[in-house]
Amino acid sequence: MKQFLHSYRLFLIVAALCTLSAFWLLGARIGVEQTQRQVDVVVSYEDVCALSDASGIPVQDWLTQLADAGARELLVTPAELADPDIMRAAQDAGLGTAQAGGLAQGGTYFFAARYDTLAAGQTGVDTDTEPLAQAQVLDALRESGSTLVLIEDRNQTGCVLPDGYSLDGYTGSMVKGFWLNQTFRARYQTLGYSGAEEIVNMLYRAVVDRGMTVLWLTPLTDAAGETVAQPEVYTQLLQDLAQRIAPAGYSYGGITGIPAKTVSPVLLMLCGIGVFAAAIVLLGVFVSLRARWLRVLLFALGCAESVGGALLAPTLQSTALALLAAIVFPCLAVAVLAAMLRESVQTRPGIGRYIGTTALGTAITFWGCCYIGAILSGSEYLLVLRLFRGVKLSQLTVYAGGMVLLAMALLHTRGCSVRDDLQTLRQENSRHWRRKLLCLLVILAAVGTVYILRTGDGMLSVSVGEQRARNWLERVLLFRPRTKEFLIAYPAIAAAYCCAAHRSRLTAWLFGVFGAIGFASVANTFCHIRAHFLVSLLRTGIGLALGLVLGILILLILRVFWPVPSDATQTKE
């Protein structure tokens, strides 16, 4: 492996130097994200009136108690904004006002007073009047200096806009907001909790995991569909949420809008050159590129594409480069893992070697994540106006590429054909080899299916027990690591080392594939641009630390109960 890397050292140097352009973009992105540390809690006047009717407690008392617990703004329609009694009630409670619909008059602005109507495809405010034209609404927003709140949709894949609206070219101040819709508000006393704990967990994830700075609190409903009308439930909810987000660096306060920003074409060019240089190194792992002129030609084509794409189609180029980086760097990490496993045959598996290999693979993947985070650092991605759609494709490609890379390193013998390799494997696993092969294929198919369906917004739901375990990890660690990394991938690498030491090549390959899932998962974390970059970095670091601890335990147990023959070479600890 060292000889191979030495032969491609110039491309690695280019990729490393171009990372400086990614760091420049990341610095700007992190600077913007650090301004999104204040959370604005909003309640609508309509909802407060509904709570008052259900409880018999005056509206003014509700407003005062919500304001004391942490609510900052009262959401009102233009008609309510013109009512002096409502404005006086908000002022007496110490609440500011946010506007829902109509022409913006400054401050915080929402497109509508009810977002379930917008989600259903209707247009404008929930009234009988004709909706306002988009140009008229956006012009008023710009002229008044209002901050537009973009409410996240139900699938967490974008924001809800009125029918026919588009924010392309809009340069005003915007922030992301979370609306407690009918599905979410019904999670009162769910998962075995006695109160609103699960709703607090959802709001916590909206703030910390997805960068929401506006939380629109709505009336909760119990299992019978009745409105929860006890003020202490809402005050306790807001107080608990404040305590949850404080250790992560967030607090209730005034919001700061995210300015419109695009990635510089020059920096996008340099990022593209760096990603293509790394891609040439990966290509050299799969096929021989001994001819220097071929390497130079490929690099020249990559440079030409980077320049042309950045200048002519920057949006498409950003998506393509992010997808390429999400595939190339995790695959390079798997290639390093495969080489280390191959060198571990007939050696006593050492803890130091296991830690070094796993950490190195994660670092290589993080190198690519820096490119991903930089390339997708435009405001349209930060505000989820545009979503990176290549998450599942990149995961599947890394999964397949990892199987091939590990097979080339562990199952292939130099100078032999594929048929010869299969014959050798059959001889090594002569007892019940058909059953073993069938079990292997079933395990891979099952793991792959679950992995893909659970990636991102997958179709498989989370069980009650798993959700409670996730909630516990969030409370203890603040930033919950991905279970597929610290519970599956990193411990599997330890098992792969032990299997390789025993020359159990097929099982070493299988556990190596499970380990490759971890590197793909790390890239997946950074592909979700809605999460702040530093939050994703902390999640990855915590997952690596926990995974290494579990992996070391597995390694020690296997070394005791499955010792390597005495003639094996001792590796350094």
Side-chain angles (χ1 to χ4, degrees):
M1 190 66 182
K2 292 181 180 179
Q3 183 179 359
F4 171 82
L5 294 177
H6 184 267
S7 65
Y8 284 85
R9 62 188 181 280
L10 293 179
F11 294 100
L12 293 172
I13 291 173
V14 170
L17 291 176
C18 289
T19 311
L20 297 176
S21 62
F23 288 159
W24 184 276
L25 291 171
L26 283 177
R29 172 185 167 178
I30 293 172
V32 171
E33 291 174 343
Q34 289 300 101
T35 66
Q36 306 297 297
R37 293 285 181 171
Q38 301 292 315
V39 180
D40 185 9
V41 179
V42 176
V43 292
S44 74
Y45 184 73
E46 178 186 355
D47 288 337
V48 174
C49 289
L51 288 171
S52 176
D53 293 340
S55 64
I57 299 174
V59 170
Q60 187 64 56
D61 291 348
W62 270 101
L63 292 175
T64 302
Q65 292 190 55
L66 290 172
D68 291 342
R72 296 191 68 258
E73 291 189 297
L74 182 66
L75 183 62
V76 293
T77 63
E80 294 166 343
L81 188 62
D83 189 327
D85 293 334
I86 296 176
M87 294 299 98
R88 189 180 306 111
Q91 185 177 5
D92 292 344
L95 292 171
T97 56
Q99 183 179 342
L103 297 179
Q105 301 179 31
T108 308
Y109 181 87
F110 294 74
F111 277 127
R114 293 181 59 85
Y115 272 75
D116 49 357
T117 59
L118 286 180
Q122 300 179 16
T123 306
V125 190
D126 189 27
T127 64
D128 295 330
T129 60
E130 288 294 324
L132 297 172
Q134 171 182 318
Q136 191 178 4
V137 173
L138 297 185
D139 287 344
L141 280 169
R142 272 190 291 261
E143 293 170 1
S144 63
S146 299
T147 298
L148 174 61
V149 179
L150 301 173
I151 295 296
E152 182 183 54
D153 64 20
R154 291 176 181 269
N155 297 323
Q156 301 176 3
T157 56
C159 58
V160 182
L161 298 177
D163 190 23
Y165 273 42
S166 172
L167 295 178
D168 291 343
Y170 178 71
T171 57
S173 176
M174 293 178 281
V175 294
K176 294 183 290 186
F178 179 78
W179 177 54
L180 204 63
N181 61 38
Q182 292 177 350
T183 301
F184 295 151
R185 72 185 68 161
R187 294 185 182 177
Y188 178 71
Q189 293 182 337
T190 58
L191 299 181
Y193 296 120
S194 60
E197 288 90 339
E198 181 57 16
I199 294 176
V200 172
N201 293 331
M202 286 192 301
L203 296 176
Y204 174 85
R205 286 189 287 270
V207 173
V208 176
D209 285 357
R210 305 197 299 279
M212 305 291 163
T213 54
V214 175
L215 300 178
W216 182 349
L217 186 63
T218 58
L220 310 182
T221 56
D222 57 22
E226 299 295 329
T227 300
V228 179
Q230 293 78 34
E232 59 272 15
V233 172
Y234 297 88
T235 56
Q236 187 66 46
L237 184 156
L238 292 174
Q239 291 168 3
D240 290 346
L241 179 62
Q243 294 175 359
R244 285 285 305 277
I245 64 177
Y250 298 85
S251 62
Y252 295 150
I255 56 176
T256 301
I258 296 178
K261 170 184 165 295
T262 58
V263 176
S264 164
V266 175
L267 295 178
L268 185 60
M269 272 180 224
L270 294 174
C271 287
I273 292 172
V275 172
F276 273 109
I280 293 173
V281 177
L282 178 63
L283 183 61
V285 177
F286 284 100
V287 297
S288 176
L289 297 176
R290 294 182 180 179
R292 291 189 176 182
W293 66 267
L294 182 56
R295 301 182 191 180
V296 172
L297 176 61
L298 291 174
F299 183 64
L301 292 175
C303 291
E305 196 283 334
S306 298
V307 173
L311 295 177
L312 301 178
T315 301
L316 180 61
Q317 178 72 355
S318 296
T319 302
L321 283 181
L323 177 61
L324 185 61
I327 294 172
V328 168
F329 288 91
C331 283
L332 284 174
V334 177
V336 171
L337 171 63
M340 294 296 185
L341 291 176
R342 181 179 56 201
E343 295 171 3
S344 299
V345 175
Q346 288 295 300
T347 61
R348 188 165 181 261
I351 295 176
R353 188 182 183 89
Y354 160 66
I355 293 175
T357 301
T358 307
L360 178 59
T362 305
I364 293 172
T365 305
F366 177 69
W367 183 10
C369 294
C370 290
Y371 274 114
I372 296 169
I375 292 167
L376 303 180
S377 62
S379 57
E380 69 273 18
Y381 286 103
L382 301 183
L383 290 164
V384 203
L385 290 170
R386 190 182 302 277
L387 199 67
F388 176 60
R389 300 287 182 181
V391 175
K392 280 188 171 62
L393 177 59
S394 64
Q395 306 311 296
L396 186 60
T397 305
V398 173
Y399 193 48
M403 288 192 289
V404 174
L405 289 168
L406 288 161
M408 291 170 58
L410 298 175
L411 307 182
H412 174 63
T413 303
R414 187 181 298 273
C416 294
S417 64
V418 175
R419 185 173 182 177
D420 294 335
D421 290 330
L422 292 176
Q423 184 65 28
T424 303
L425 287 174
R426 180 178 175 179
Q427 292 173 357
E428 292 177 359
N429 301 272
S430 57
R431 294 187 61 186
H432 310 297
W433 71 271
R434 286 189 176 88
R435 295 179 184 178
K436 292 180 180 179
L437 181 60
L438 179 60
C439 290
L440 181 65
L441 294 176
V442 170
I443 291 173
L444 284 175
V447 172
T449 301
V450 173
Y451 175 63
I452 295 301
L453 292 180
R454 287 288 297 272
T455 298
D457 303 301
M459 293 179 286
L460 291 185
S461 60
V462 179
S463 65
V464 172
E466 182 181 354
Q467 187 59 61
R468 287 195 63 120
R470 290 183 173 193
N471 294 341
W472 180 80
L473 286 173
E474 284 177 350
R475 287 194 296 271
V476 174
L477 301 175
L478 295 182
F479 309 103
R480 179 183 63 82
R482 290 179 176 269
T483 52
K484 61 174 72 78
E485 294 172 23
F486 79 94
L487 280 181
I488 298 176
Y490 300 141
I493 293 176
Y497 261 108
C498 289
C499 293
H502 283 270
R503 296 187 62 84
S504 181
R505 299 191 299 160
L506 202 56
T507 50
W509 174 82
L510 177 61
F511 283 114
V513 171
F514 291 160
I517 290 176
F519 301 138
S521 176
V522 171
N524 180 15
T525 298
F526 288 85
C527 286
H528 293 292
I529 303 300
R530 61 192 181 190
H532 291 176
F533 186 84
L534 294 181
V535 170
S536 297
L537 177 59
L538 288 170
R539 286 187 72 179
T540 300
I542 293 171
L544 176 62
L546 292 178
L548 287 176
V549 171
L550 292 176
I552 290 171
L553 291 176
I554 289 176
L555 196 63
L556 292 174
I557 292 172
L558 289 176
R559 278 170 44 165
V560 170
F561 293 99
W562 194 22
V564 178
S566 57
D567 60 345
T569 304
Q570 172 68 49
T571 59
K572 294 182 179 180
E573 297 291 336

